[in-house]
Amino acid sequence: MTTDTSLDRYGEFEQVAHFRDDTNGLDGLIAIHSTVLGPALGGVRFRRYRSGFEARNDALRLARGMTYKAAVAGLDLGGGKAVIDGDPGSVDRVALFRAFGEAVESLGGRYITAEDVGTTVEDMVTVATETGHVVGLPESKGGLGDPSPSTALGVLASLKAALAFLDGGSTLVGRTIAVCGLGKVGAVLVRMLVEEGAAVAVADVDGERVTALADQLGVKAVEVEDIHRISADVFAPCALGGILTSNLIRELDVQAVVGAANNQLATPSSADLLAGRGIAYVPDFVANAGGLIHVAWEAKASLADVQTKVLELGDRVTDLLTQAAEAGISTQAAAEKVAEARIQARLDARSQLGATR
Ligand code: NAI
C-alpha cells in the first residue's frame, strides 16, 4: 500500500492522507479536519467520483462539517471523513475494507471510521478485523447497530423544537411536513412523523421507495421537482447535499427547513437567503447529529440512553434559534459560533496549561 500523508497542505486541515492499493482497488482519502476536542470521527463514503478532485473535495468539506457537528453536539470528538473512490459493483468488498481498516489503523487512533453513504454495518465488521478505531458496529460485535434511526429521531426532535419556537405549537397534529429522500433516515423519519399525527408528503428519485411508503403509511407521493414547492410547515431534505440553492429557496412555502442531508446549503449565502425569507433553517450539522451521538456512545451507553441524549438536540435547536434571533444573524452563523467558541475554549485551556507547566 502506498501512503501519501500531507500535513497542513490544506491550511485548516490537520492531515489529509491518501491511500492506494492496486491489489484490491483501494483508492481513498482520509481527511482529518480537527482533533482539538478529541479523535476525528466520521464515516467512510464509497462511490464512484468523477475525478480525484471531486473525491478530495467531498472528503474535506464533510470532515470540516464533522468538526462542527461534534462541537455543537457537545461531544469530545473532532472531525474527519474518508472517501473511497471506486465502483461498488466490481470490487471484492472484504479485501477492500480490510485494506481500508489497515489505513485507519496506520493513523493510530487520530481518525475513527463508521458507515456512511455507500458503506454498511457489514463493511464496518470487516474494517474491525484490522483496527479498533471503528464504530457503527452491530450489537453482536458490541455496537448499537445502524445509526440512521437515531439520526431520524434527532431530526424529529429538531423539527418539533423549531416549530414550537416559531409558533408555540407542541404537537405535529395538523402540521404538514415535506420529506425529500426516503433512504435509511428519510423512511424512518416519515414513519415517526406519521405516528406523531403529521400529514406527510414524500419524494425520492427511487419511485419504488415512494410507492412502498405511500401504500404502507398513506402519505402523499410528490414528484422530486415539486416536493419543495408544496405548502407545508417544514421542508425536510433527507437526500443529498447542495439542495438549498437560491432558486429553490425562492420557491419554498414553509416556516422551517429541518432535515438530515449533509451540506444542504448550496452556497454560504443560502443561509442568509433563508433568513431573509423568514424561514427558520436548522443547520444540517445540528439536526442530523443523532447518528454521531449514537456511534459516539456505542459500547458506553444503552440504546435507550442514547435516544435520551439524541432528544436533547431539541433544546440545542431552541437555544440556537433564540441566539440567532437575538444577534440578528442566520442560524448557520449562530451554530458555527457555538462550535468555534467550544473549540477555542479548549485551545485556550490547553495553552494555559502549557503556560503553567
Ligand atoms: P440513503 O442513501 O439511505 O438514502 C438517500 C435517499 O435519497 C435514497 O432513497 C435515494 O434514492 C434518495 N435520493 C438520491 N438523490 C435524490 C434526489 N436528487 N432527490 C430525491 N431523492 C434522492 O442515505 P441516508 O443514510 O438516508 O442519508 C440521507 C442523508 O442524510 C445523506 O445526505 C447523509 O449524508 C445524511 N446523513 C445520514 C446519517 C445516517 O445516520 N444515515 C447521519 C447524518 C447525515
Side-chain angles (χ1 to χ4, degrees), residues 12-14 31-42 60-75 77-81 285 292 339-340 342-343:
E12 64 174 323
F13 286 81
E14 286 185 18
I32 296 178
H33 177 255
S34 169
T35 57
V36 172
L37 295 177
L41 197 159
L60 296 185
R61 73 194 168 85
L62 289 164
R64 185 173 191 277
M66 293 305 294
T67 298
Y68 281 78
K69 192 184 300 196
V72 175
L75 297 167
L77 289 169
K81 204 84 179 184
F285 60 87
L292 178 62
E340 285 161 10
R342 195 164 164 242
I343 293 165

PDB file of all heavy atoms in Angstrom, residues 12-14 31-42 60-75 77-81 285 292 339-340 342-343:
ATOM      1  N   GLU A  12      -6.403  24.729   6.974  1.00  0.00           N
ATOM      2  CA  GLU A  12      -7.063  24.475   8.240  1.00  0.00           C
ATOM      3  C   GLU A  12      -7.158  22.991   8.570  1.00  0.00           C
ATOM      4  O   GLU A  12      -7.579  22.634   9.671  1.00  0.00           O
ATOM      5  CB  GLU A  12      -8.456  25.105   8.237  1.00  0.00           C
ATOM      6  CG  GLU A  12      -9.383  24.501   7.226  1.00  0.00           C
ATOM      7  CD  GLU A  12     -10.807  25.048   7.339  1.00  0.00           C
ATOM      8  OE1 GLU A  12     -11.272  25.286   8.443  1.00  0.00           O
ATOM      9  OE2 GLU A  12     -11.434  25.222   6.296  1.00  0.00           O
ATOM     10  N   PHE A  13      -6.815  22.108   7.660  1.00  0.00           N
ATOM     11  CA  PHE A  13      -6.903  20.674   7.944  1.00  0.00           C
ATOM     12  C   PHE A  13      -5.638  20.183   8.633  1.00  0.00           C
ATOM     13  O   PHE A  13      -4.535  20.571   8.287  1.00  0.00           O
ATOM     14  CB  PHE A  13      -7.131  19.881   6.653  1.00  0.00           C
ATOM     15  CG  PHE A  13      -8.528  20.047   6.158  1.00  0.00           C
ATOM     16  CD1 PHE A  13      -8.897  21.164   5.443  1.00  0.00           C
ATOM     17  CD2 PHE A  13      -9.494  19.103   6.461  1.00  0.00           C
ATOM     18  CE1 PHE A  13     -10.211  21.346   5.022  1.00  0.00           C
ATOM     19  CE2 PHE A  13     -10.801  19.271   6.056  1.00  0.00           C
ATOM     20  CZ  PHE A  13     -11.155  20.394   5.333  1.00  0.00           C
ATOM     21  N   GLU A  14      -5.827  19.304   9.635  1.00  0.00           N
ATOM     22  CA  GLU A  14      -4.651  18.790  10.339  1.00  0.00           C
ATOM     23  C   GLU A  14      -3.890  17.780   9.482  1.00  0.00           C
ATOM     24  O   GLU A  14      -2.672  17.699   9.524  1.00  0.00           O
ATOM     25  CB  GLU A  14      -5.083  18.111  11.643  1.00  0.00           C
ATOM     26  CG  GLU A  14      -5.504  19.084  12.709  1.00  0.00           C
ATOM     27  CD  GLU A  14      -5.818  18.392  14.023  1.00  0.00           C
ATOM     28  OE1 GLU A  14      -5.397  17.239  14.229  1.00  0.00           O
ATOM     29  OE2 GLU A  14      -6.514  19.016  14.843  1.00  0.00           O
ATOM     30  N   ALA A  31      -9.496  12.449   5.543  1.00  0.00           N
ATOM     31  CA  ALA A  31      -9.247  13.863   5.869  1.00  0.00           C
ATOM     32  C   ALA A  31      -9.538  14.077   7.348  1.00  0.00           C
ATOM     33  O   ALA A  31     -10.634  13.759   7.815  1.00  0.00           O
ATOM     34  CB  ALA A  31     -10.145  14.756   5.019  1.00  0.00           C
ATOM     35  N   ILE A  32      -8.536  14.594   8.054  1.00  0.00           N
ATOM     36  CA  ILE A  32      -8.727  14.930   9.474  1.00  0.00           C
ATOM     37  C   ILE A  32      -8.747  16.450   9.572  1.00  0.00           C
ATOM     38  O   ILE A  32      -7.733  17.103   9.335  1.00  0.00           O
ATOM     39  CB  ILE A  32      -7.597  14.329  10.342  1.00  0.00           C
ATOM     40  CG1 ILE A  32      -7.646  12.799  10.270  1.00  0.00           C
ATOM     41  CG2 ILE A  32      -7.737  14.812  11.794  1.00  0.00           C
ATOM     42  CD1 ILE A  32      -6.541  12.106  11.052  1.00  0.00           C
ATOM     43  N   HIS A  33      -9.913  16.987   9.876  1.00  0.00           N
ATOM     44  CA  HIS A  33     -10.025  18.446   9.950  1.00  0.00           C
ATOM     45  C   HIS A  33      -9.508  18.963  11.281  1.00  0.00           C
ATOM     46  O   HIS A  33      -8.725  19.896  11.341  1.00  0.00           O
ATOM     47  CB  HIS A  33     -11.490  18.867   9.743  1.00  0.00           C
ATOM     48  CG  HIS A  33     -11.695  20.342   9.878  1.00  0.00           C
ATOM     49  ND1 HIS A  33     -12.286  20.912  10.978  1.00  0.00           N
ATOM     50  CD2 HIS A  33     -11.353  21.360   9.062  1.00  0.00           C
ATOM     51  CE1 HIS A  33     -12.312  22.226  10.818  1.00  0.00           C
ATOM     52  NE2 HIS A  33     -11.767  22.518   9.670  1.00  0.00           N
ATOM     53  N   SER A  34      -9.965  18.333  12.382  1.00  0.00           N
ATOM     54  CA  SER A  34      -9.543  18.811  13.702  1.00  0.00           C
ATOM     55  C   SER A  34      -9.606  17.678  14.711  1.00  0.00           C
ATOM     56  O   SER A  34     -10.524  16.859  14.687  1.00  0.00           O
ATOM     57  CB  SER A  34     -10.468  19.938  14.161  1.00  0.00           C
ATOM     58  OG  SER A  34     -10.238  20.235  15.530  1.00  0.00           O
ATOM     59  N   THR A  35      -8.606  17.663  15.599  1.00  0.00           N
ATOM     60  CA  THR A  35      -8.644  16.726  16.728  1.00  0.00           C
ATOM     61  C   THR A  35      -8.563  17.494  18.047  1.00  0.00           C
ATOM     62  O   THR A  35      -8.173  16.948  19.070  1.00  0.00           O
ATOM     63  CB  THR A  35      -7.480  15.699  16.659  1.00  0.00           C
ATOM     64  OG1 THR A  35      -6.247  16.419  16.615  1.00  0.00           O
ATOM     65  CG2 THR A  35      -7.599  14.771  15.468  1.00  0.00           C
ATOM     66  N   VAL A  36      -8.936  18.779  18.007  1.00  0.00           N
ATOM     67  CA  VAL A  36      -8.822  19.604  19.224  1.00  0.00           C
ATOM     68  C   VAL A  36      -9.708  19.045  20.338  1.00  0.00           C
ATOM     69  O   VAL A  36      -9.289  18.934  21.495  1.00  0.00           O
ATOM     70  CB  VAL A  36      -9.191  21.076  18.921  1.00  0.00           C
ATOM     71  CG1 VAL A  36      -9.262  21.890  20.212  1.00  0.00           C
ATOM     72  CG2 VAL A  36      -8.176  21.689  17.978  1.00  0.00           C
ATOM     73  N   LEU A  37     -10.939  18.674  19.998  1.00  0.00           N
ATOM     74  CA  LEU A  37     -11.861  18.190  21.042  1.00  0.00           C
ATOM     75  C   LEU A  37     -11.728  16.691  21.286  1.00  0.00           C
ATOM     76  O   LEU A  37     -12.266  16.175  22.272  1.00  0.00           O
ATOM     77  CB  LEU A  37     -13.308  18.524  20.663  1.00  0.00           C
ATOM     78  CG  LEU A  37     -13.672  20.012  20.586  1.00  0.00           C
ATOM     79  CD1 LEU A  37     -15.109  20.195  20.123  1.00  0.00           C
ATOM     80  CD2 LEU A  37     -13.476  20.693  21.941  1.00  0.00           C
ATOM     81  N   GLY A  38     -11.043  15.991  20.400  1.00  0.00           N
ATOM     82  CA  GLY A  38     -10.894  14.541  20.547  1.00  0.00           C
ATOM     83  C   GLY A  38     -10.572  13.921  19.199  1.00  0.00           C
ATOM     84  O   GLY A  38     -10.382  14.636  18.209  1.00  0.00           O
ATOM     85  N   PRO A  39     -10.499  12.579  19.140  1.00  0.00           N
ATOM     86  CA  PRO A  39     -10.198  11.945  17.857  1.00  0.00           C
ATOM     87  C   PRO A  39     -11.247  12.295  16.800  1.00  0.00           C
ATOM     88  O   PRO A  39     -12.414  12.505  17.113  1.00  0.00           O
ATOM     89  CB  PRO A  39     -10.223  10.446  18.183  1.00  0.00           C
ATOM     90  CG  PRO A  39     -10.868  10.322  19.513  1.00  0.00           C
ATOM     91  CD  PRO A  39     -10.702  11.624  20.230  1.00  0.00           C
ATOM     92  N   ALA A  40     -10.804  12.379  15.559  1.00  0.00           N
ATOM     93  CA  ALA A  40     -11.689  12.789  14.462  1.00  0.00           C
ATOM     94  C   ALA A  40     -12.576  11.620  14.050  1.00  0.00           C
ATOM     95  O   ALA A  40     -12.086  10.618  13.544  1.00  0.00           O
ATOM     96  CB  ALA A  40     -10.856  13.252  13.276  1.00  0.00           C
ATOM     97  N   LEU A  41     -13.867  11.760  14.303  1.00  0.00           N
ATOM     98  CA  LEU A  41     -14.795  10.689  13.935  1.00  0.00           C
ATOM     99  C   LEU A  41     -15.625  11.097  12.731  1.00  0.00           C
ATOM    100  O   LEU A  41     -16.172  12.197  12.696  1.00  0.00           O
ATOM    101  CB  LEU A  41     -15.711  10.354  15.118  1.00  0.00           C
ATOM    102  CG  LEU A  41     -16.467   9.021  15.058  1.00  0.00           C
ATOM    103  CD1 LEU A  41     -16.895   8.582  16.461  1.00  0.00           C
ATOM    104  CD2 LEU A  41     -17.669   9.030  14.155  1.00  0.00           C
ATOM    105  N   GLY A  42     -15.717  10.214  11.764  1.00  0.00           N
ATOM    106  CA  GLY A  42     -16.554  10.482  10.592  1.00  0.00           C
ATOM    107  C   GLY A  42     -16.598   9.265   9.704  1.00  0.00           C
ATOM    108  O   GLY A  42     -15.635   8.492   9.643  1.00  0.00           O
ATOM    109  N   LEU A  60     -12.960  16.629   2.229  1.00  0.00           N
ATOM    110  CA  LEU A  60     -12.581  17.825   3.000  1.00  0.00           C
ATOM    111  C   LEU A  60     -13.798  18.534   3.586  1.00  0.00           C
ATOM    112  O   LEU A  60     -13.852  18.852   4.769  1.00  0.00           O
ATOM    113  CB  LEU A  60     -11.790  18.804   2.124  1.00  0.00           C
ATOM    114  CG  LEU A  60     -10.429  18.334   1.603  1.00  0.00           C
ATOM    115  CD1 LEU A  60      -9.723  19.468   0.869  1.00  0.00           C
ATOM    116  CD2 LEU A  60      -9.535  17.827   2.723  1.00  0.00           C
ATOM    117  N   ARG A  61     -14.818  18.761   2.744  1.00  0.00           N
ATOM    118  CA  ARG A  61     -15.951  19.535   3.268  1.00  0.00           C
ATOM    119  C   ARG A  61     -16.738  18.715   4.280  1.00  0.00           C
ATOM    120  O   ARG A  61     -17.241  19.241   5.274  1.00  0.00           O
ATOM    121  CB  ARG A  61     -16.804  20.112   2.137  1.00  0.00           C
ATOM    122  CG  ARG A  61     -17.623  19.153   1.417  1.00  0.00           C
ATOM    123  CD  ARG A  61     -18.197  19.651   0.096  1.00  0.00           C
ATOM    124  NE  ARG A  61     -18.734  18.475  -0.580  1.00  0.00           N
ATOM    125  CZ  ARG A  61     -19.936  17.998  -0.363  1.00  0.00           C
ATOM    126  NH1 ARG A  61     -20.748  18.617   0.457  1.00  0.00           N
ATOM    127  NH2 ARG A  61     -20.345  16.906  -0.978  1.00  0.00           N
ATOM    128  N   LEU A  62     -16.798  17.403   4.067  1.00  0.00           N
ATOM    129  CA  LEU A  62     -17.522  16.566   5.031  1.00  0.00           C
ATOM    130  C   LEU A  62     -16.758  16.474   6.351  1.00  0.00           C
ATOM    131  O   LEU A  62     -17.351  16.468   7.429  1.00  0.00           O
ATOM    132  CB  LEU A  62     -17.764  15.168   4.451  1.00  0.00           C
ATOM    133  CG  LEU A  62     -18.802  15.118   3.317  1.00  0.00           C
ATOM    134  CD1 LEU A  62     -18.691  13.804   2.546  1.00  0.00           C
ATOM    135  CD2 LEU A  62     -20.209  15.287   3.880  1.00  0.00           C
ATOM    136  N   ALA A  63     -15.425  16.406   6.283  1.00  0.00           N
ATOM    137  CA  ALA A  63     -14.611  16.335   7.501  1.00  0.00           C
ATOM    138  C   ALA A  63     -14.781  17.605   8.331  1.00  0.00           C
ATOM    139  O   ALA A  63     -14.935  17.566   9.556  1.00  0.00           O
ATOM    140  CB  ALA A  63     -13.139  16.135   7.140  1.00  0.00           C
ATOM    141  N   ARG A  64     -14.790  18.728   7.647  1.00  0.00           N
ATOM    142  CA  ARG A  64     -14.969  20.010   8.346  1.00  0.00           C
ATOM    143  C   ARG A  64     -16.340  20.039   9.023  1.00  0.00           C
ATOM    144  O   ARG A  64     -16.480  20.464  10.171  1.00  0.00           O
ATOM    145  CB  ARG A  64     -14.838  21.147   7.329  1.00  0.00           C
ATOM    146  CG  ARG A  64     -14.877  22.514   7.933  1.00  0.00           C
ATOM    147  CD  ARG A  64     -14.560  23.568   6.871  1.00  0.00           C
ATOM    148  NE  ARG A  64     -14.347  24.854   7.496  1.00  0.00           N
ATOM    149  CZ  ARG A  64     -15.321  25.684   7.833  1.00  0.00           C
ATOM    150  NH1 ARG A  64     -16.567  25.355   7.594  1.00  0.00           N
ATOM    151  NH2 ARG A  64     -15.049  26.829   8.413  1.00  0.00           N
ATOM    152  N   GLY A  65     -17.344  19.573   8.307  1.00  0.00           N
ATOM    153  CA  GLY A  65     -18.699  19.535   8.871  1.00  0.00           C
ATOM    154  C   GLY A  65     -18.758  18.680  10.131  1.00  0.00           C
ATOM    155  O   GLY A  65     -19.488  18.999  11.079  1.00  0.00           O
ATOM    156  N   MET A  66     -17.973  17.594  10.155  1.00  0.00           N
ATOM    157  CA  MET A  66     -17.988  16.716  11.329  1.00  0.00           C
ATOM    158  C   MET A  66     -17.418  17.426  12.558  1.00  0.00           C
ATOM    159  O   MET A  66     -17.863  17.200  13.681  1.00  0.00           O
ATOM    160  CB  MET A  66     -17.196  15.430  11.058  1.00  0.00           C
ATOM    161  CG  MET A  66     -17.806  14.506  10.021  1.00  0.00           C
ATOM    162  SD  MET A  66     -19.519  14.011  10.340  1.00  0.00           S
ATOM    163  CE  MET A  66     -19.333  13.053  11.823  1.00  0.00           C
ATOM    164  N   THR A  67     -16.409  18.277  12.349  1.00  0.00           N
ATOM    165  CA  THR A  67     -15.853  19.037  13.470  1.00  0.00           C
ATOM    166  C   THR A  67     -16.943  19.891  14.117  1.00  0.00           C
ATOM    167  O   THR A  67     -17.108  19.921  15.340  1.00  0.00           O
ATOM    168  CB  THR A  67     -14.708  19.957  12.981  1.00  0.00           C
ATOM    169  OG1 THR A  67     -13.667  19.149  12.453  1.00  0.00           O
ATOM    170  CG2 THR A  67     -14.166  20.832  14.096  1.00  0.00           C
ATOM    171  N   TYR A  68     -17.719  20.571  13.267  1.00  0.00           N
ATOM    172  CA  TYR A  68     -18.769  21.452  13.776  1.00  0.00           C
ATOM    173  C   TYR A  68     -19.896  20.640  14.411  1.00  0.00           C
ATOM    174  O   TYR A  68     -20.459  21.028  15.433  1.00  0.00           O
ATOM    175  CB  TYR A  68     -19.297  22.340  12.637  1.00  0.00           C
ATOM    176  CG  TYR A  68     -18.369  23.483  12.353  1.00  0.00           C
ATOM    177  CD1 TYR A  68     -17.200  23.289  11.615  1.00  0.00           C
ATOM    178  CD2 TYR A  68     -18.616  24.751  12.851  1.00  0.00           C
ATOM    179  CE1 TYR A  68     -16.323  24.339  11.386  1.00  0.00           C
ATOM    180  CE2 TYR A  68     -17.734  25.805  12.625  1.00  0.00           C
ATOM    181  CZ  TYR A  68     -16.594  25.593  11.892  1.00  0.00           C
ATOM    182  OH  TYR A  68     -15.721  26.627  11.680  1.00  0.00           O
ATOM    183  N   LYS A  69     -20.212  19.503  13.781  1.00  0.00           N
ATOM    184  CA  LYS A  69     -21.306  18.669  14.297  1.00  0.00           C
ATOM    185  C   LYS A  69     -20.984  18.172  15.706  1.00  0.00           C
ATOM    186  O   LYS A  69     -21.797  18.282  16.617  1.00  0.00           O
ATOM    187  CB  LYS A  69     -21.516  17.475  13.352  1.00  0.00           C
ATOM    188  CG  LYS A  69     -22.782  16.703  13.623  1.00  0.00           C
ATOM    189  CD  LYS A  69     -22.919  15.467  12.739  1.00  0.00           C
ATOM    190  CE  LYS A  69     -22.946  15.785  11.273  1.00  0.00           C
ATOM    191  NZ  LYS A  69     -23.448  14.642  10.475  1.00  0.00           N
ATOM    192  N   ALA A  70     -19.767  17.647  15.877  1.00  0.00           N
ATOM    193  CA  ALA A  70     -19.379  17.114  17.187  1.00  0.00           C
ATOM    194  C   ALA A  70     -19.318  18.233  18.224  1.00  0.00           C
ATOM    195  O   ALA A  70     -19.751  18.064  19.371  1.00  0.00           O
ATOM    196  CB  ALA A  70     -18.029  16.405  17.089  1.00  0.00           C
ATOM    197  N   ALA A  71     -18.792  19.388  17.796  1.00  0.00           N
ATOM    198  CA  ALA A  71     -18.638  20.501  18.744  1.00  0.00           C
ATOM    199  C   ALA A  71     -19.998  20.991  19.236  1.00  0.00           C
ATOM    200  O   ALA A  71     -20.203  21.187  20.432  1.00  0.00           O
ATOM    201  CB  ALA A  71     -17.859  21.640  18.093  1.00  0.00           C
ATOM    202  N   VAL A  72     -20.947  21.187  18.319  1.00  0.00           N
ATOM    203  CA  VAL A  72     -22.271  21.680  18.732  1.00  0.00           C
ATOM    204  C   VAL A  72     -23.010  20.624  19.550  1.00  0.00           C
ATOM    205  O   VAL A  72     -23.754  20.958  20.473  1.00  0.00           O
ATOM    206  CB  VAL A  72     -23.113  22.105  17.498  1.00  0.00           C
ATOM    207  CG1 VAL A  72     -24.513  22.498  17.921  1.00  0.00           C
ATOM    208  CG2 VAL A  72     -22.464  23.269  16.784  1.00  0.00           C
ATOM    209  N   ALA A  73     -22.795  19.354  19.223  1.00  0.00           N
ATOM    210  CA  ALA A  73     -23.490  18.286  19.963  1.00  0.00           C
ATOM    211  C   ALA A  73     -22.892  18.078  21.350  1.00  0.00           C
ATOM    212  O   ALA A  73     -23.382  17.249  22.118  1.00  0.00           O
ATOM    213  CB  ALA A  73     -23.452  16.988  19.164  1.00  0.00           C
ATOM    214  N   GLY A  74     -21.805  18.796  21.658  1.00  0.00           N
ATOM    215  CA  GLY A  74     -21.210  18.684  22.991  1.00  0.00           C
ATOM    216  C   GLY A  74     -20.368  17.433  23.169  1.00  0.00           C
ATOM    217  O   GLY A  74     -20.089  17.010  24.296  1.00  0.00           O
ATOM    218  N   LEU A  75     -19.935  16.828  22.052  1.00  0.00           N
ATOM    219  CA  LEU A  75     -19.150  15.596  22.139  1.00  0.00           C
ATOM    220  C   LEU A  75     -17.654  15.914  22.174  1.00  0.00           C
ATOM    221  O   LEU A  75     -17.216  16.893  21.562  1.00  0.00           O
ATOM    222  CB  LEU A  75     -19.444  14.701  20.928  1.00  0.00           C
ATOM    223  CG  LEU A  75     -20.895  14.211  20.817  1.00  0.00           C
ATOM    224  CD1 LEU A  75     -21.167  13.622  19.440  1.00  0.00           C
ATOM    225  CD2 LEU A  75     -21.198  13.179  21.901  1.00  0.00           C
ATOM    226  N   LEU A  77     -15.159  14.974  20.517  1.00  0.00           N
ATOM    227  CA  LEU A  77     -14.678  14.361  19.280  1.00  0.00           C
ATOM    228  C   LEU A  77     -14.301  15.450  18.300  1.00  0.00           C
ATOM    229  O   LEU A  77     -14.887  16.541  18.313  1.00  0.00           O
ATOM    230  CB  LEU A  77     -15.782  13.508  18.642  1.00  0.00           C
ATOM    231  CG  LEU A  77     -16.156  12.205  19.354  1.00  0.00           C
ATOM    232  CD1 LEU A  77     -17.433  11.636  18.752  1.00  0.00           C
ATOM    233  CD2 LEU A  77     -15.018  11.192  19.261  1.00  0.00           C
ATOM    234  N   GLY A  78     -13.362  15.124  17.427  1.00  0.00           N
ATOM    235  CA  GLY A  78     -13.021  16.040  16.358  1.00  0.00           C
ATOM    236  C   GLY A  78     -13.726  15.628  15.080  1.00  0.00           C
ATOM    237  O   GLY A  78     -14.625  14.773  15.093  1.00  0.00           O
ATOM    238  N   GLY A  79     -13.295  16.247  13.962  1.00  0.00           N
ATOM    239  CA  GLY A  79     -13.971  15.983  12.694  1.00  0.00           C
ATOM    240  C   GLY A  79     -13.058  15.365  11.663  1.00  0.00           C
ATOM    241  O   GLY A  79     -11.941  15.840  11.433  1.00  0.00           O
ATOM    242  N   GLY A  80     -13.532  14.296  11.045  1.00  0.00           N
ATOM    243  CA  GLY A  80     -12.796  13.664   9.961  1.00  0.00           C
ATOM    244  C   GLY A  80     -13.761  12.949   9.044  1.00  0.00           C
ATOM    245  O   GLY A  80     -14.946  12.802   9.363  1.00  0.00           O
ATOM    246  N   LYS A  81     -13.295  12.550   7.904  1.00  0.00           N
ATOM    247  CA  LYS A  81     -14.143  11.810   6.968  1.00  0.00           C
ATOM    248  C   LYS A  81     -13.234  11.070   6.000  1.00  0.00           C
ATOM    249  O   LYS A  81     -12.120  11.520   5.717  1.00  0.00           O
ATOM    250  CB  LYS A  81     -15.025  12.790   6.183  1.00  0.00           C
ATOM    251  CG  LYS A  81     -16.287  12.174   5.636  1.00  0.00           C
ATOM    252  CD  LYS A  81     -17.386  12.157   6.671  1.00  0.00           C
ATOM    253  CE  LYS A  81     -18.666  11.572   6.119  1.00  0.00           C
ATOM    254  NZ  LYS A  81     -19.771  11.634   7.071  1.00  0.00           N
ATOM    255  N   PHE A 285     -25.814  20.242  10.338  1.00  0.00           N
ATOM    256  CA  PHE A 285     -24.907  19.566  11.274  1.00  0.00           C
ATOM    257  C   PHE A 285     -25.439  19.578  12.704  1.00  0.00           C
ATOM    258  O   PHE A 285     -24.886  18.916  13.579  1.00  0.00           O
ATOM    259  CB  PHE A 285     -23.479  20.143  11.192  1.00  0.00           C
ATOM    260  CG  PHE A 285     -23.341  21.606  11.519  1.00  0.00           C
ATOM    261  CD1 PHE A 285     -23.164  22.010  12.827  1.00  0.00           C
ATOM    262  CD2 PHE A 285     -23.364  22.565  10.525  1.00  0.00           C
ATOM    263  CE1 PHE A 285     -23.009  23.349  13.144  1.00  0.00           C
ATOM    264  CE2 PHE A 285     -23.203  23.904  10.822  1.00  0.00           C
ATOM    265  CZ  PHE A 285     -23.035  24.296  12.133  1.00  0.00           C
ATOM    266  N   LEU A 292     -24.290  10.653  14.908  1.00  0.00           N
ATOM    267  CA  LEU A 292     -22.963  10.805  15.521  1.00  0.00           C
ATOM    268  C   LEU A 292     -23.039  10.513  17.022  1.00  0.00           C
ATOM    269  O   LEU A 292     -22.170   9.826  17.581  1.00  0.00           O
ATOM    270  CB  LEU A 292     -22.424  12.218  15.268  1.00  0.00           C
ATOM    271  CG  LEU A 292     -21.068  12.520  15.900  1.00  0.00           C
ATOM    272  CD1 LEU A 292     -19.979  11.608  15.335  1.00  0.00           C
ATOM    273  CD2 LEU A 292     -20.682  13.982  15.676  1.00  0.00           C
ATOM    274  N   ALA A 339     -19.919  26.329  17.885  1.00  0.00           N
ATOM    275  CA  ALA A 339     -18.882  25.303  17.681  1.00  0.00           C
ATOM    276  C   ALA A 339     -17.489  25.904  17.850  1.00  0.00           C
ATOM    277  O   ALA A 339     -16.634  25.360  18.551  1.00  0.00           O
ATOM    278  CB  ALA A 339     -19.035  24.689  16.292  1.00  0.00           C
ATOM    279  N   GLU A 340     -17.273  27.047  17.207  1.00  0.00           N
ATOM    280  CA  GLU A 340     -15.935  27.653  17.239  1.00  0.00           C
ATOM    281  C   GLU A 340     -15.573  28.108  18.654  1.00  0.00           C
ATOM    282  O   GLU A 340     -14.422  28.011  19.069  1.00  0.00           O
ATOM    283  CB  GLU A 340     -15.867  28.807  16.232  1.00  0.00           C
ATOM    284  CG  GLU A 340     -15.770  28.275  14.803  1.00  0.00           C
ATOM    285  CD  GLU A 340     -16.140  29.291  13.733  1.00  0.00           C
ATOM    286  OE1 GLU A 340     -16.297  30.476  14.058  1.00  0.00           O
ATOM    287  OE2 GLU A 340     -16.285  28.875  12.565  1.00  0.00           O
ATOM    288  N   ARG A 342     -16.510  26.675  21.404  1.00  0.00           N
ATOM    289  CA  ARG A 342     -16.150  25.488  22.197  1.00  0.00           C
ATOM    290  C   ARG A 342     -14.721  25.026  21.857  1.00  0.00           C
ATOM    291  O   ARG A 342     -13.935  24.679  22.742  1.00  0.00           O
ATOM    292  CB  ARG A 342     -17.164  24.373  21.903  1.00  0.00           C
ATOM    293  CG  ARG A 342     -17.087  23.296  22.906  1.00  0.00           C
ATOM    294  CD  ARG A 342     -18.230  22.330  22.966  1.00  0.00           C
ATOM    295  NE  ARG A 342     -17.735  21.201  23.739  1.00  0.00           N
ATOM    296  CZ  ARG A 342     -17.617  19.977  23.287  1.00  0.00           C
ATOM    297  NH1 ARG A 342     -18.039  19.662  22.081  1.00  0.00           N
ATOM    298  NH2 ARG A 342     -17.090  19.046  24.053  1.00  0.00           N
ATOM    299  N   ILE A 343     -14.386  25.061  20.576  1.00  0.00           N
ATOM    300  CA  ILE A 343     -13.047  24.634  20.151  1.00  0.00           C
ATOM    301  C   ILE A 343     -12.001  25.626  20.677  1.00  0.00           C
ATOM    302  O   ILE A 343     -10.956  25.237  21.199  1.00  0.00           O
ATOM    303  CB  ILE A 343     -12.993  24.511  18.611  1.00  0.00           C
ATOM    304  CG1 ILE A 343     -13.889  23.349  18.167  1.00  0.00           C
ATOM    305  CG2 ILE A 343     -11.566  24.303  18.119  1.00  0.00           C
ATOM    306  CD1 ILE A 343     -14.205  23.327  16.690  1.00  0.00           C
TER     307      ILE A 343
END
